[in-house]
Amino acid sequence: MLFGKGYTLQKLKDLKQTGEYACQETVTLITERQGKTYKIDNVRILGPERDQTQVEISATDARQLKLNPPVRNSGNLERSEPITLQGPHGSVTIENGCIIATRHLHLSTEDAKHMNIKSGDEVSVLLGDEKSGRMDHVSCKVHENYVLELHIDTDDGNAFRVQSGDLATVLLP
Amino acid sequence: MLFGKGYTLQKLKDLKQTGEYACQETVTLITERQGKTYKIDNVRILGPERDQTQVEISATDARQLKLNPPVRNSGNLERSEPITLQGPHGSVTIENGCIIATRHLHLSTEDAKHMNIKSGDEVSVLLGDEKSGRMDHVSCKVHENYVLELHIDTDDGNAFRVQSGDLATVLLP
């Protein structure tokens, strides 16, 4: 419905996590409040496709869209925020699907064993320089295909003034 | 130049720090990069007036304006970013003046004595709930007129998911 009947998403580039990729396609996120429309353009689609459409935004985005999404692990969409996605061929409104993603750490089975971490454990992480600090409630996700990588949102990145590729220190449980 | 010759800024409301106030007037922040113009509208002016104009933005704002301002204490503007302010009667470009404000803690002389903190000391602060953590390099500002209050920017507020009025825990040095 967003890109036309039978359309297949096109890969733009692989992400660091095996099998995950950014798509060439983007959508516009839309909300309506009291007759006014709020939008964020050029929101990248990530593949592969899931059973359920999920929109991960930052608290800054949420403010712009007048939403108040819960902080959730990916896939945990019950009672999350409704949102409309608009593509070049139409739009879709999902009743549940918009969340602020919980900060999380991807680990391979081997890395997890080495660090004595199980999937679902929470760790704290030190990061940053002139705006350094510690992030708590970082959820661990362990899978044989995963590559050691910390996933935080743009608010976290901006608040701690870190960029993709910077180092972080995991405090072991 | 921004509001017309001889214009006096009008108080909107007092801030918590004695003598400081938000003005009714706002400006538009403007930058130009490679022939393109970037803007942020409705930026509130804070009084009282200082000797030197200072623009405090978040890293998210900086990204929108294509700026890379340093993280600095208020008033420390050397080699900070140039920026243009536009008002209803004209615009002013300042060569130095745009910073990301260092996270800071205002303390009365009495509170500071009680906590064994001196002006210029750095402390760490715990805050937040589901996105909790610790902020380091929080600069202490002590003055008899100050009221105990933590000043962080919107990126920090969004990253830690805290709001004005929430409690924070200062880790004493």
Short mmCIF file of all heavy atoms in Angstrom, two decimals, chain B residues 41-91:
data_model
loop_
_atom_site.label_atom_id
_atom_site.label_comp_id
_atom_site.label_asym_id
_atom_site.label_seq_id
_atom_site.Cartn_x
_atom_site.Cartn_y
_atom_site.Cartn_z
N ASP B 41 13.13 28.62 14.38
CA ASP B 41 12.25 29.74 14.75
C ASP B 41 11.93 29.76 16.24
O ASP B 41 12.10 28.75 16.93
CB ASP B 41 10.91 29.62 13.99
CG ASP B 41 11.07 29.89 12.52
OD1 ASP B 41 11.84 30.80 12.16
OD2 ASP B 41 10.42 29.18 11.71
N ASN B 42 11.40 30.88 16.69
CA ASN B 42 10.83 30.99 18.04
C ASN B 42 11.80 30.64 19.15
O ASN B 42 11.47 29.90 20.08
CB ASN B 42 9.58 30.10 18.16
CG ASN B 42 8.52 30.50 17.16
OD1 ASN B 42 8.25 31.68 16.98
ND2 ASN B 42 7.93 29.51 16.49
N VAL B 43 13.03 31.13 19.05
CA VAL B 43 14.02 30.87 20.09
C VAL B 43 13.92 31.97 21.15
O VAL B 43 14.06 33.16 20.85
CB VAL B 43 15.44 30.82 19.48
CG1 VAL B 43 16.48 30.62 20.57
CG2 VAL B 43 15.51 29.70 18.44
N ARG B 44 13.63 31.56 22.36
CA ARG B 44 13.34 32.50 23.45
C ARG B 44 14.58 33.26 23.91
O ARG B 44 15.66 32.67 24.04
CB ARG B 44 12.78 31.68 24.64
CG ARG B 44 12.37 32.47 25.85
CD ARG B 44 11.10 33.23 25.67
NE ARG B 44 10.00 32.37 25.19
CZ ARG B 44 8.87 32.85 24.69
NH1 ARG B 44 8.66 34.15 24.58
NH2 ARG B 44 7.94 32.02 24.26
N ILE B 45 14.44 34.54 24.15
CA ILE B 45 15.52 35.35 24.72
C ILE B 45 15.42 35.30 26.25
O ILE B 45 14.33 35.40 26.80
CB ILE B 45 15.42 36.82 24.25
CG1 ILE B 45 15.56 36.88 22.73
CG2 ILE B 45 16.47 37.69 24.94
CD1 ILE B 45 15.43 38.28 22.16
N LEU B 46 16.58 35.10 26.91
CA LEU B 46 16.61 35.12 28.37
C LEU B 46 17.32 36.38 28.85
O LEU B 46 18.32 36.81 28.25
CB LEU B 46 17.35 33.88 28.91
CG LEU B 46 16.78 32.52 28.52
CD1 LEU B 46 17.51 31.41 29.24
CD2 LEU B 46 15.28 32.43 28.80
N GLY B 47 16.80 36.99 29.89
CA GLY B 47 17.39 38.19 30.46
C GLY B 47 17.92 37.89 31.85
O GLY B 47 17.69 36.81 32.37
N PRO B 48 18.66 38.81 32.49
CA PRO B 48 18.93 40.16 32.00
C PRO B 48 19.97 40.16 30.87
O PRO B 48 20.68 39.18 30.69
CB PRO B 48 19.48 40.87 33.24
CG PRO B 48 20.11 39.77 34.06
CD PRO B 48 19.26 38.56 33.81
N GLU B 49 20.04 41.28 30.16
CA GLU B 49 21.01 41.39 29.07
C GLU B 49 22.44 41.21 29.58
O GLU B 49 22.76 41.64 30.67
CB GLU B 49 20.87 42.77 28.41
CG GLU B 49 19.58 42.90 27.62
CD GLU B 49 19.30 44.34 27.18
OE1 GLU B 49 20.27 45.06 26.94
OE2 GLU B 49 18.12 44.71 27.10
N ARG B 50 23.27 40.61 28.75
CA ARG B 50 24.68 40.43 29.08
C ARG B 50 25.52 41.37 28.23
O ARG B 50 25.02 41.94 27.26
CB ARG B 50 25.12 38.99 28.76
CG ARG B 50 24.47 37.94 29.60
CD ARG B 50 24.73 36.57 29.00
NE ARG B 50 24.11 35.53 29.82
CZ ARG B 50 24.78 34.55 30.42
NH1 ARG B 50 26.10 34.46 30.30
NH2 ARG B 50 24.16 33.64 31.13
N ASP B 51 26.82 41.45 28.55
CA ASP B 51 27.73 42.25 27.73
C ASP B 51 27.81 41.67 26.32
O ASP B 51 27.93 42.39 25.34
CB ASP B 51 29.13 42.26 28.33
CG ASP B 51 29.15 43.01 29.65
OD1 ASP B 51 28.22 43.82 29.87
OD2 ASP B 51 30.06 42.78 30.46
N GLN B 52 27.76 40.35 26.26
CA GLN B 52 27.97 39.68 24.98
C GLN B 52 26.80 38.74 24.69
O GLN B 52 26.38 37.98 25.57
CB GLN B 52 29.28 38.87 25.08
CG GLN B 52 30.02 38.76 23.77
CD GLN B 52 31.33 37.99 23.93
OE1 GLN B 52 31.87 37.86 25.03
NE2 GLN B 52 31.83 37.46 22.83
N THR B 53 26.29 38.79 23.47
CA THR B 53 25.19 37.91 23.07
C THR B 53 25.67 36.47 23.04
O THR B 53 26.74 36.17 22.52
CB THR B 53 24.68 38.30 21.68
OG1 THR B 53 24.19 39.64 21.73
CG2 THR B 53 23.55 37.39 21.21
N GLN B 54 24.87 35.58 23.58
CA GLN B 54 25.24 34.17 23.66
C GLN B 54 24.06 33.31 23.24
O GLN B 54 22.94 33.54 23.67
CB GLN B 54 25.63 33.87 25.11
CG GLN B 54 25.87 32.43 25.42
CD GLN B 54 26.40 32.28 26.85
OE1 GLN B 54 27.25 33.04 27.30
NE2 GLN B 54 25.89 31.32 27.56
N VAL B 55 24.32 32.32 22.39
CA VAL B 55 23.28 31.42 21.93
C VAL B 55 23.60 30.02 22.40
O VAL B 55 24.63 29.46 22.05
CB VAL B 55 23.18 31.44 20.38
CG1 VAL B 55 22.15 30.44 19.89
CG2 VAL B 55 22.86 32.83 19.87
N GLU B 56 22.72 29.46 23.24
CA GLU B 56 22.92 28.10 23.74
C GLU B 56 21.97 27.16 23.01
O GLU B 56 20.76 27.33 23.06
CB GLU B 56 22.65 28.03 25.25
CG GLU B 56 23.59 28.87 26.07
CD GLU B 56 23.31 28.77 27.57
OE1 GLU B 56 22.60 27.84 28.00
OE2 GLU B 56 23.82 29.62 28.31
N ILE B 57 22.53 26.16 22.34
CA ILE B 57 21.69 25.21 21.61
C ILE B 57 22.06 23.79 22.02
O ILE B 57 23.09 23.57 22.67
CB ILE B 57 21.81 25.37 20.08
CG1 ILE B 57 23.24 25.06 19.60
CG2 ILE B 57 21.41 26.77 19.65
CD1 ILE B 57 23.38 25.07 18.09
N SER B 58 21.24 22.84 21.66
CA SER B 58 21.54 21.42 21.90
C SER B 58 22.25 20.85 20.68
O SER B 58 22.28 21.48 19.62
CB SER B 58 20.24 20.66 22.14
OG SER B 58 19.51 20.58 20.93
N ALA B 59 22.81 19.67 20.82
CA ALA B 59 23.47 19.02 19.68
C ALA B 59 22.45 18.71 18.58
O ALA B 59 22.78 18.73 17.39
CB ALA B 59 24.18 17.74 20.13
N THR B 60 21.21 18.46 18.97
CA THR B 60 20.15 18.23 17.98
C THR B 60 19.91 19.51 17.17
O THR B 60 19.82 19.47 15.93
CB THR B 60 18.83 17.80 18.67
OG1 THR B 60 19.07 16.55 19.33
CG2 THR B 60 17.69 17.64 17.68
N ASP B 61 19.82 20.64 17.86
CA ASP B 61 19.69 21.93 17.16
C ASP B 61 20.90 22.16 16.25
O ASP B 61 20.76 22.64 15.12
CB ASP B 61 19.65 23.10 18.17
CG ASP B 61 18.47 23.02 19.12
OD1 ASP B 61 17.42 22.46 18.73
OD2 ASP B 61 18.60 23.52 20.25
N ALA B 62 22.08 21.85 16.77
CA ALA B 62 23.33 22.08 16.02
C ALA B 62 23.32 21.32 14.71
O ALA B 62 23.72 21.82 13.66
CB ALA B 62 24.54 21.67 16.86
N ARG B 63 22.82 20.09 14.77
CA ARG B 63 22.72 19.26 13.56
C ARG B 63 21.78 19.92 12.55
O ARG B 63 22.07 19.98 11.36
CB ARG B 63 22.19 17.89 13.98
CG ARG B 63 22.41 16.77 13.01
CD ARG B 63 21.95 15.47 13.64
NE ARG B 63 22.79 15.08 14.75
CZ ARG B 63 23.78 14.20 14.67
NH1 ARG B 63 24.04 13.61 13.52
NH2 ARG B 63 24.51 13.89 15.72
N GLN B 64 20.67 20.44 13.05
CA GLN B 64 19.69 21.10 12.17
C GLN B 64 20.28 22.35 11.52
O GLN B 64 19.97 22.67 10.37
CB GLN B 64 18.45 21.45 13.00
CG GLN B 64 17.29 21.96 12.16
CD GLN B 64 16.02 22.16 12.99
OE1 GLN B 64 15.84 21.52 14.04
NE2 GLN B 64 15.16 23.05 12.56
N LEU B 65 21.16 23.04 12.27
CA LEU B 65 21.76 24.29 11.77
C LEU B 65 23.11 24.06 11.09
O LEU B 65 23.77 25.03 10.69
CB LEU B 65 21.93 25.28 12.93
CG LEU B 65 20.64 25.84 13.54
CD1 LEU B 65 20.95 26.59 14.84
CD2 LEU B 65 19.93 26.77 12.55
N LYS B 66 23.53 22.79 10.99
CA LYS B 66 24.83 22.44 10.38
C LYS B 66 25.98 23.12 11.11
O LYS B 66 26.95 23.60 10.49
CB LYS B 66 24.87 22.80 8.88
CG LYS B 66 23.68 22.32 8.08
CD LYS B 66 23.69 20.84 7.85
CE LYS B 66 22.42 20.39 7.13
NZ LYS B 66 22.23 18.94 7.17
N LEU B 67 25.87 23.23 12.42
CA LEU B 67 26.92 23.82 13.25
C LEU B 67 27.61 22.73 14.07
O LEU B 67 27.05 21.67 14.29
CB LEU B 67 26.33 24.84 14.22
CG LEU B 67 25.80 26.15 13.67
CD1 LEU B 67 25.16 26.96 14.79
CD2 LEU B 67 26.93 26.94 13.02
N ASN B 68 28.80 23.04 14.54
CA ASN B 68 29.49 22.13 15.45
C ASN B 68 30.04 22.93 16.65
O ASN B 68 31.24 23.09 16.80
CB ASN B 68 30.62 21.41 14.72
CG ASN B 68 31.27 20.35 15.58
OD1 ASN B 68 30.66 19.83 16.52
ND2 ASN B 68 32.53 20.05 15.30
N PRO B 69 29.14 23.44 17.50
CA PRO B 69 29.59 24.30 18.60
C PRO B 69 30.30 23.51 19.69
O PRO B 69 30.01 22.32 19.90
CB PRO B 69 28.28 24.88 19.14
CG PRO B 69 27.21 23.98 18.66
CD PRO B 69 27.71 23.19 17.50
N PRO B 70 31.24 24.16 20.39
CA PRO B 70 31.92 23.48 21.49
C PRO B 70 31.02 23.40 22.73
O PRO B 70 30.08 24.19 22.87
CB PRO B 70 33.11 24.40 21.77
CG PRO B 70 32.65 25.75 21.36
CD PRO B 70 31.71 25.53 20.19
N VAL B 71 31.30 22.44 23.61
CA VAL B 71 30.61 22.34 24.90
C VAL B 71 31.34 23.29 25.85
O VAL B 71 32.52 23.12 26.11
CB VAL B 71 30.64 20.90 25.44
CG1 VAL B 71 29.97 20.82 26.81
CG2 VAL B 71 29.96 19.95 24.47
N ARG B 72 30.66 24.32 26.33
CA ARG B 72 31.32 25.39 27.09
C ARG B 72 30.45 25.87 28.25
O ARG B 72 29.23 25.82 28.19
CB ARG B 72 31.54 26.61 26.17
CG ARG B 72 32.58 26.44 25.10
CD ARG B 72 33.97 26.53 25.65
NE ARG B 72 34.92 26.39 24.54
CZ ARG B 72 35.23 27.37 23.68
NH1 ARG B 72 34.66 28.55 23.81
NH2 ARG B 72 36.10 27.15 22.72
N ASN B 73 31.14 26.41 29.25
CA ASN B 73 30.44 27.14 30.29
C ASN B 73 29.93 28.45 29.72
O ASN B 73 30.59 29.06 28.87
CB ASN B 73 31.37 27.44 31.47
CG ASN B 73 31.41 26.29 32.47
OD1 ASN B 73 30.38 25.83 32.92
ND2 ASN B 73 32.61 25.83 32.79
N SER B 74 28.77 28.86 30.19
CA SER B 74 28.19 30.15 29.83
C SER B 74 29.24 31.25 29.96
O SER B 74 29.95 31.33 30.95
CB SER B 74 27.04 30.39 30.81
OG SER B 74 26.41 31.60 30.55
N GLY B 75 29.33 32.11 28.94
CA GLY B 75 30.25 33.24 28.97
C GLY B 75 31.61 32.95 28.37
O GLY B 75 32.37 33.86 28.05
N ASN B 76 31.94 31.67 28.19
CA ASN B 76 33.22 31.28 27.61
C ASN B 76 33.03 31.07 26.11
O ASN B 76 32.79 29.97 25.63
CB ASN B 76 33.70 30.01 28.30
CG ASN B 76 35.03 29.51 27.75
OD1 ASN B 76 35.64 30.16 26.89
ND2 ASN B 76 35.48 28.36 28.22
N LEU B 77 33.13 32.17 25.35
CA LEU B 77 32.69 32.14 23.95
C LEU B 77 33.82 32.18 22.92
O LEU B 77 33.55 32.16 21.71
CB LEU B 77 31.74 33.34 23.69
CG LEU B 77 30.51 33.41 24.59
CD1 LEU B 77 29.69 34.65 24.28
CD2 LEU B 77 29.66 32.16 24.45
N GLU B 78 35.06 32.21 23.39
CA GLU B 78 36.16 32.27 22.42
C GLU B 78 36.14 31.07 21.48
O GLU B 78 35.99 29.93 21.92
CB GLU B 78 37.50 32.25 23.16
CG GLU B 78 38.16 33.62 23.24
CD GLU B 78 39.50 33.52 23.93
OE1 GLU B 78 40.40 32.87 23.37
OE2 GLU B 78 39.62 34.07 25.04
N ARG B 79 36.36 31.35 20.22
CA ARG B 79 36.36 30.31 19.19
C ARG B 79 35.11 29.41 19.27
O ARG B 79 35.20 28.21 19.05
CB ARG B 79 37.63 29.46 19.25
CG ARG B 79 38.91 30.24 18.91
CD ARG B 79 40.12 29.34 18.86
NE ARG B 79 40.27 28.56 20.10
CZ ARG B 79 40.74 29.05 21.23
NH1 ARG B 79 41.12 30.32 21.32
NH2 ARG B 79 40.83 28.27 22.29
N SER B 80 33.97 30.00 19.61
CA SER B 80 32.72 29.26 19.49
C SER B 80 32.16 29.51 18.08
O SER B 80 32.84 30.09 17.25
CB SER B 80 31.74 29.66 20.60
OG SER B 80 31.46 31.04 20.55
N GLU B 81 30.95 29.08 17.80
CA GLU B 81 30.44 29.12 16.43
C GLU B 81 29.77 30.47 16.09
O GLU B 81 29.01 31.00 16.90
CB GLU B 81 29.43 28.00 16.22
CG GLU B 81 30.05 26.63 16.02
CD GLU B 81 30.51 26.39 14.59
OE1 GLU B 81 31.20 27.25 14.01
OE2 GLU B 81 30.17 25.31 14.05
N PRO B 82 29.99 30.99 14.90
CA PRO B 82 29.25 32.17 14.44
C PRO B 82 27.81 31.78 14.11
O PRO B 82 27.55 30.64 13.73
CB PRO B 82 29.99 32.60 13.17
CG PRO B 82 30.74 31.41 12.71
CD PRO B 82 30.96 30.51 13.89
N ILE B 83 26.90 32.73 14.30
CA ILE B 83 25.49 32.46 14.03
C ILE B 83 24.76 33.79 13.80
O ILE B 83 25.20 34.82 14.29
CB ILE B 83 24.86 31.66 15.20
CG1 ILE B 83 23.51 31.06 14.81
CG2 ILE B 83 24.73 32.52 16.46
CD1 ILE B 83 23.06 29.95 15.73
N THR B 84 23.66 33.72 13.04
CA THR B 84 22.86 34.91 12.77
C THR B 84 21.54 34.85 13.53
O THR B 84 20.88 33.81 13.55
CB THR B 84 22.59 35.04 11.26
OG1 THR B 84 23.83 35.17 10.57
CG2 THR B 84 21.71 36.26 10.95
N LEU B 85 21.20 35.97 14.20
CA LEU B 85 19.92 36.10 14.91
C LEU B 85 19.05 37.07 14.11
O LEU B 85 19.51 38.15 13.73
CB LEU B 85 20.13 36.69 16.30
CG LEU B 85 20.82 35.83 17.37
CD1 LEU B 85 22.29 35.66 17.08
CD2 LEU B 85 20.63 36.47 18.74
N GLN B 86 17.82 36.67 13.85
CA GLN B 86 16.91 37.55 13.12
C GLN B 86 15.70 37.92 13.98
O GLN B 86 15.06 37.05 14.56
CB GLN B 86 16.43 36.84 11.85
CG GLN B 86 15.62 37.76 10.94
CD GLN B 86 15.25 37.04 9.65
OE1 GLN B 86 14.56 36.03 9.68
NE2 GLN B 86 15.73 37.55 8.54
N GLY B 87 15.45 39.20 14.07
CA GLY B 87 14.27 39.70 14.78
C GLY B 87 13.34 40.38 13.80
O GLY B 87 13.60 40.39 12.59
N PRO B 88 12.25 40.96 14.29
CA PRO B 88 11.27 41.59 13.39
C PRO B 88 11.81 42.84 12.68
O PRO B 88 11.28 43.24 11.65
CB PRO B 88 10.12 41.95 14.32
CG PRO B 88 10.68 41.93 15.70
CD PRO B 88 11.81 40.97 15.69
N HIS B 89 12.88 43.46 13.22
CA HIS B 89 13.40 44.69 12.62
C HIS B 89 14.79 44.55 12.02
O HIS B 89 15.40 45.57 11.66
CB HIS B 89 13.39 45.83 13.65
CG HIS B 89 12.05 46.44 13.85
ND1 HIS B 89 11.05 45.77 14.50
CD2 HIS B 89 11.52 47.62 13.45
CE1 HIS B 89 9.96 46.53 14.52
NE2 HIS B 89 10.22 47.65 13.89
N GLY B 90 15.30 43.34 11.95
CA GLY B 90 16.63 43.20 11.36
C GLY B 90 17.35 42.00 11.92
O GLY B 90 16.80 41.25 12.73
N SER B 91 18.58 41.82 11.48
CA SER B 91 19.35 40.66 11.93
C SER B 91 20.76 41.07 12.36
O SER B 91 21.27 42.11 11.95
CB SER B 91 19.39 39.61 10.83
OG SER B 91 20.15 40.09 9.74
#
